[in-house]
Amino acid sequence: MSFSDKKRVVIKVGSALIAPNNTGCSPHNLLAIAQFIVKCRQLGKQVVLVSSGSVAAGKKWFDAPEMSKTLKKAMAATGQTSMMKLWDRLFDFPTAQLLLTNDDLSHRERYISIKDTLEACLEHGVMPVVNENDTVTSDDRKVGDNDNLSAMVATSIGADTLILCTDVAGLYDKNPHSHDDAKLIKTVDKITSSTYLMATGAVSSTGTGGMRTKIEAAEKATSHGIDTYILDAFNGKNFELLLDNSNPGTHFVAFNKPVSSAIHWRTHTSKARGEVIVDEADMELGDIQDTLTSSSLLAINGEFSVGDTIMVKNDSGKKLAKAKTNYSSCLLNYLADKDIRDKLDDNSSLLTDSIISDEHIAVLGTQ
């Protein structure tokens, strides 16, 4: 499917484009992006913008030698208004602001609420502008970068295209900044460990992401049937190429048979609150939900409550599944003691019932 056939586009714009050199918001690098968004809407495409830049935009108002976590939150709160004003000046249609945390996306009901809000905005011609809520979230509650956030947003609304804007032409086989013979990878049909090895790990001076986070985002998006592009947004001609159905950077090809929305959410969006280590030898091949009882328990890591998402691993560290737990970590720690289990009646539900729910189990044993 060419870009002209796409109906719903998510475009992620980073801090370096919005607030270059941490000197506040500037429209200089955004005009081509704004024109592209306007053209997409004229062609009948719905667009969601995921915009970084609040911290970089607000930094100029704070004179401090070191940037503490609290100060960074204050910068985000200050810069967010400037960033939204900038985007509003570039468009003649209404925009809506959505500030999200990983907790919002990991909680199933809140995730559905976010999806419904985005859908309602798009249905009424309003363009959502999404950013991570850096003003309130703690480190353990963050998505961490807007590349992955954009992929989560794209999958939530069933987008068919994700565009990740950056300052390089796309994914290279090696770091183009330090290797003159680096070659641009135009098409990636399948993301593997070798794909990640091509990422340099370099991070922008103003942003939080690098090439690795863009590959992570592409992996999330393509598995949900979303074609993903990494392109150099400092070169406005790249957007013209995309509109002409040409590949302006690196194209990550969408799966022909996407993962279901519920399983995708459990795999890529829901955050594991803890780990359950099990004896894989005790588990039969087939439905993991039917075979994972307390008799397989070896250890419990972390604290979690009934209904939280947990990671199930074997004793060698291999990830077997992500699933909704039927028991708290406190009770599972109790049941992990074989002496305790031996004292229970053989017909006790604590021995016979599955540790995990059958709701949206993400089986990971092959990864």
Side-chain angles (χ1 to χ4, degrees):
M1 183 183 293
S2 63
F3 186 76
S4 60
D5 297 320
K6 303 297 187 181
K7 299 299 183 184
R8 185 169 284 185
V9 180
V10 174
I11 179 169
K12 181 264 176 180
V13 179
S15 300
L17 286 155
I18 293 170
N21 304 315
N22 294 305
T23 56
C25 290
S26 169
H28 178 71
N29 299 317
L30 305 182
L31 295 176
I33 298 173
Q35 291 169 357
F36 171 72
I37 291 173
V38 170
K39 183 64 175 178
C40 283
R41 286 171 59 98
Q42 290 174 345
L43 293 171
K45 305 179 192 300
Q46 296 176 325
V47 181
V48 175
L49 175 63
V50 177
S51 177
S52 305
S54 60
V55 175
K59 189 174 182 179
K60 73 171 185 176
W61 303 108
F62 294 82
D63 184 15
E66 296 184 5
M67 188 164 60
S68 66
K69 291 181 180 179
T70 300
L71 196 58
K72 189 174 181 180
K73 291 180 180 181
M75 291 175 184
T78 306
Q80 187 67 31
T81 55
S82 299
M83 188 182 75
M84 287 301 299
K85 287 179 182 177
L86 175 60
W87 284 120
D88 274 338
R89 288 201 302 269
L90 293 171
F91 301 119
D92 60 356
F93 49 81
T95 60
Q97 177 180 252
L98 280 82
L99 297 176
L100 307 177
T101 68
N102 194 75
D103 272 1
D104 297 323
L105 295 161
S106 294
H107 190 278
R108 186 64 182 171
E109 286 74 19
R110 281 147 70 182
Y111 178 84
I112 297 299
S113 178
I114 292 165
K115 175 184 181 299
D116 291 343
T117 301
L118 289 167
E119 292 280 4
C121 287
L122 293 173
E123 182 181 343
H124 289 83
V126 178
M127 185 181 74
V129 181
V130 182
N131 194 8
E132 182 146 32
N133 195 348
D134 293 315
T135 63
V136 300
T137 188
S138 56
D139 288 345
D140 62 335
R141 303 300 189 190
K142 283 187 174 184
V143 175
D145 64 89
N146 275 356
D147 293 322
N148 278 288
L149 178 62
S150 66
M152 294 174 184
V153 169
T155 57
S156 73
I157 59 169
D160 47 29
T161 307
L162 172 63
I163 301 169
L164 302 172
C165 297
T166 185
D167 59 355
V168 294
L171 175 65
Y172 286 81
D173 61 351
K174 60 184 75 172
N175 189 341
H177 297 302
S178 54
H179 295 84
D180 293 335
D181 61 341
K183 295 180 180 179
L184 178 65
I185 308 298
K186 292 295 291 181
T187 304
V188 178
D189 293 310
K190 183 178 181 181
I191 296 173
T192 65
S193 57
S194 297
T195 313
Y196 280 100
L197 288 174
M198 297 177 192
T200 65
V203 177
S204 166
S205 60
T206 52
T208 57
M211 188 55 68
R212 181 176 181 84
T213 61
K214 289 172 177 58
I215 297 173
E216 290 172 354
E219 186 170 22
K220 289 180 174 66
T222 54
S223 66
H224 200 261
I226 302 170
D227 281 303
T228 303
Y229 295 88
I230 298 176
L231 57 82
D232 179 3
F234 287 89
N235 183 353
K237 292 183 179 179
N238 285 331
F239 296 104
E240 297 175 15
L241 289 172
L242 196 56
L243 288 168
D244 288 336
N245 295 319
S246 298
N247 177 7
T250 299
H251 174 206
F252 294 82
V253 180
F255 282 24
N256 288 325
K257 296 181 179 179
V259 177
S260 73
S261 295
I263 298 300
H264 190 280
W265 172 81
R266 183 75 72 190
T267 305
H268 294 292
T269 304
S270 181
K271 186 174 182 180
R273 300 300 180 189
E275 297 178 346
V276 171
I277 312 302
V278 299
D279 185 351
E280 191 176 19
D282 290 345
M283 299 173 61
E284 300 174 3
L285 294 176
D287 190 345
I288 192 172
Q289 192 270 338
D290 292 335
T291 59
L292 191 57
T293 64
S294 60
S295 62
S296 299
L297 284 175
L298 296 177
I300 312 300
N301 297 325
E303 296 182 2
F304 47 86
S305 304
V306 175
D308 283 346
T309 295
I310 58 171
M311 183 71 72
V312 181
K313 294 182 176 180
N314 66 10
D315 51 359
S316 63
K318 182 180 180 181
K319 296 177 181 179
L320 303 177
K322 280 177 73 178
K324 178 179 177 180
T325 179
N326 288 329
Y327 297 106
S328 68
S329 55
C330 181
L331 181 54
L332 289 180
N333 270 306
Y334 176 77
L335 294 174
D337 188 329
K338 188 176 182 301
D339 291 337
I340 295 294
R341 295 201 301 268
D342 288 342
K343 294 177 182 178
L344 295 173
D345 184 280
D346 289 344
N347 295 320
S348 170
S349 62
L350 294 177
L351 295 178
T352 59
D353 288 356
S354 177
I355 292 172
I356 57 176
S357 168
D358 60 359
E359 180 183 350
H360 317 322
I361 299 174
V363 178
L364 309 172
T366 59
Q367 296 185 5

